[in-house]
Every structure is written in C-alpha cells, then in structure tokens.
Amino acid sequence: MPFLLNGMEKPCFCFKTDERITIDGDPAESAWKRAVEISLSDSGNFLYRSTAGMLWNDRYLYLFFRFSDPDIRVSGVFTTADVPSCMMKNLPDPDAWIKETDPCAHFSLSPNAEHTLKFWINPLNTLYSCKVENGISKEWRCDGIQCAVRVCRTVNATEDIDCGWSVEIAIPWKSLQPFMDGKKALTESAPWKVSLIRMIRNAPGEDGARQHWQSWDLRFRDDLKKFERFFDWSLPDTEEEIRLAAETGVTDAVISLKLSRVQLETAAKYGILLYPVVVPWIWDNLENYLLQKMLPEEEELQRSYLDCSHIAALKHARGGEPGFRYSGDPKKEVYLYNALIICFGSGKSREWVKQQIRKACSIPGSAGIAFNGVGFLNYHGCYCPGCREKYAEYRKLMGGEVTEKEFYLRQLVDFNNANIEFIKEINPKLLTFCHIWPVYRPEPLYGHRMKFDWCAETAAWYTIWEPAKIRDYTEKIIRYPAGVPFIGYYDAARGFPYKTPEKVDLELRTILDTGGKTVSVCGLDHVLRNESVRQVFRNLMKKEN
C-alpha cells in the first residue's frame, strides 16, 4: 500500500479476516497483521506518531487507532450515555465539542452518497456517534458497537510522562445495513468513502486542536485462502445434521453402502456429492477368503492385543503412521493394525472386492466410489504362502534385484489401479476416491503412483504432528493434481490426544499456506458436535450455503 498524502482520496483496501479479534483496546492480535497500517501524521511535520487500520469479517467492521502522546489530557467528563443529548442540545455542530476539549479518535463512513456516519472516542472511552443525512446532522446510536481504549500511563496526571493510547472498535454489519442500499455483499467494485482522523490538543499556550487525517475510497477485499473442496468420511443420518454438515463446508462425503434415502435425498438438496465406500475387510464367512498373514512375532503381538494386554500401547496407531516401538527390542520395531484384511494378491479376495464394487456402482445418485482400509496389518507386507511365492517369482523375473518394499508397494498400487479400471468399465462417469490407510510404512505417501481422481493422504494424523511435518507432507501430497491432504480429528473419548480448536486451526492453515486447496477429515460427527472446532472448519471452507 503506497503512502497517502493528507486528504487525498485514493483506493484503500480493507482486508477480510477469519481470526478472532478481542476488543480490549490493544491491537496486538495476529489478525491485525493483515491490515494496512495507515499513517495519519502530517508528512513529518506532526510531532506525535498516529496510525490506524481496518479489517472486516462476516459480522463486524473493525478499526484500530494507535497514538503516541506524552501528556494525555481530557477536559470532558461525559459518559457515553450523556454525550449525545448534551451535544445535540447545546452544540449544533457536534465537532465543536470535541475540537475545543478532548483529543480523540474520529472516523466517518459513507456507505452511499446520502449518508455519512460519524464516530468519536476519547481516551476515557467516551463514545459519540451521529449520522449526517444530505448534510444535516442527526442523533444516531450505533447498536451493538464495541469499543475499548488502552492508555499507557495515566490520563490527566501531570506528574508522569505518558506513552500514548490506542483504540479498538467493532461495528456490527447489522447496524450499518440500513445505510447499505439493501446490499449484503461487500465488493471492491462498490467502494465506500472513509476518513480516519486524529484530533489532538495544540501545543501548550495555544488554543484549540488540530486534525490529522486520511480519506479514501474504501474497497473491501476477500483474499483469504480457503479450501475449495471438503471431503468428509461418513455422513449423518438426519436432515438437520446433514444441513449442518453443508453449512460447515462439506462438498463430498464418503458413505456406507447401506446409505439411507434421507442421506441420499438430503445430500442432493445441499449439493454434497456421495461416494459409497468399499473396504477390503472381512467380517463373516472367513473360510471363503484368504486373509493377510503377518510374521510370527507380529501375530503373537496381535493375539496379545486381542487379549487387551497391550491395548494401552497400541491404541494410538490405528492404522496411521506409528511413531513409537511396540516390541522390547530397541533395534526392531513391530507395528500392526487390528483387523481382518484380505490378501491383495489373492484371486478369490479380488473377486470379492469386485462384488462390492458392483454393489456400490448400482447405488443411484452417487458421484463416485471410494476405497478405504487398503493397506497391510503390519504396515509393510503380507506373508501368506501365496505372497511369498509371488515374491520369489517376481525376484526371479526381475533378476533378483527387487526388495520386499518394492514388491509390496507394487502389490498395493496394482490392486488399487485394477479396481479403478473396473469401476471405469462399469461407468466411466463415476469418480474414484480413496484414503491411503493403513499407511505403508516404507513409503507413506505413494498416492501419485495411482490413477484415482482424488487420493487423500495423511497430512496431520489424530496424534499431534508439528507444523514442519505437516508442511513437508502437504508439499508431497499436492505435487500431483489428485492429492488431498487428510487430517484426523477425534475427541479424547476415542483414545487419541485431544486437539484443541486452536490446534485444528493451525493444522488447516498450515495446509492452506503450503498450497493445499482440498482437505479430507474423519470424523465429521466429532467436528459437528464441537461448536468451536466446527467453526474452525467453516471459516476456512469456500463453499457458501
């Protein structure tokens, strides 16, 4: 923003914020860093520094003033409630009272050509407001306005040297709406007139006061980074909760194959795309399918897990990226997930998955098909006889230059790509979506190797990750067009560390600042029932309802 000379009307941008601002007189919140700091000084001829700034969000127009002053004096002792009647009764010109007595922060807003709204705040936080209609001043109270003053040192005390004072103001849009010609949207193409003014007593021995001010065409700009798509795992059962999910910003939802008519119809009503999910886990008829096998020590540990003897140590992994050892040997790490997952190399298992895909593709109104749970119990491979034989054949075919990591990664990639091709054969218009989980330990981020239309990979797990790691993972996830950063959010009842709303906000903003435009989360029910966390998501989603 270039320097503006006194009184010159030039464009001035008021930027939107989605961060919380506490009106306490001290403009120290990080949100104020987005505001253009405006100098009200007289091009170097003004003895004391004076600055101001403005921001807005969906509820308020915010202003701050910061003034240096070594001797803060206020001659008036009016309260805010007294000022309007006193001024209007005795002084036809409201400016006269303030010019001859108090230093103050003064600003005026002109939403249109017919109306100008004027405000004065002195160091005692005495507030006066009025409206000017076609050049005539009229009494007007700004309902809901918040105003606070912070004084450094003491008002009206000659025994100390003051530093200065600052003001914060929040004006609710609902109080300004009557002057906005029925318009609700704030755009750059519909500027307001604004003047920001400091009134200060003249030097000792001089009468009256001086004004130092700036005036512009005020243009409102919304350049906040927002997520363009929000993929949610699971969808509520009631219309009211689905409406709440839409208001939170959900654009796409992964849902069970047994979705209800209410879910299908209400999702369509609110513009939420649905993806019935296929999960390669077996819950019955185990004899018909070949399941994954782990190494003997891993199977023993899983038996201990099922006996609950190791549950405290294992519960934080849940298929994500483990960050700690489960075995007693510090040189050997053993990780596992407790489930019954099919062997991806088994022909019989693959046929079962195709049956699930056909069922998912037959659901009317779906935008696509999703996959979840495609991973290894131990996060690195299957050790059933069939996979060991295939690994030996593959090594022989490749001249013995193949590691287990390469073989099992190839198995995961080929399994997923074969499913994608099968879906496109049934209906080429169906989109494909997945979340890579359980993670593949040797290469956690391998989504770029597959042909999904959308591939969610973990950028922030349910456990606490540092911003540096979130940035690193996000950079890798978004390097290909289909990559969708995933964050996990459960409340403490699920056995994970509790994430505060501030922590969730930091994770999402880190993804946005790194360049992410889409996000996926599980679980939405936990987000919806925590109003503060829900508001974090809502603030950062572009979808408007």
Side-chain angles (χ1 to χ4, degrees), residues 408-421:
Y408 287 116
L409 179 58
R410 174 73 177 270
Q411 189 179 76
L412 286 173
V413 171
D414 289 350
F415 177 82
N416 279 302
N417 284 337
N419 291 332
I420 295 169
E421 292 173 2

Side-chain angles (χ1 to χ4, degrees), residues 23 26-27 38 46 120 124 134 147 169 271 306 368 411 422 510 519:
I23 304 302
D26 183 15
I38 303 154
F46 184 34
W120 295 260
L124 296 179
N134 298 314
C147 181
I169 307 105
L306 295 175
Q411 189 179 76
F422 186 63
T510 300
V519 70

Side-chain angles (χ1 to χ4, degrees), residues 413-434:
V413 171
D414 289 350
F415 177 82
N416 279 302
N417 284 337
N419 291 332
I420 295 169
E421 292 173 2
F422 186 63
I423 292 169
K424 298 297 184 179
E425 289 174 5
I426 297 174
N427 186 346
K429 295 182 179 179
L430 288 174
L431 300 172
T432 55
F433 178 83
C434 82

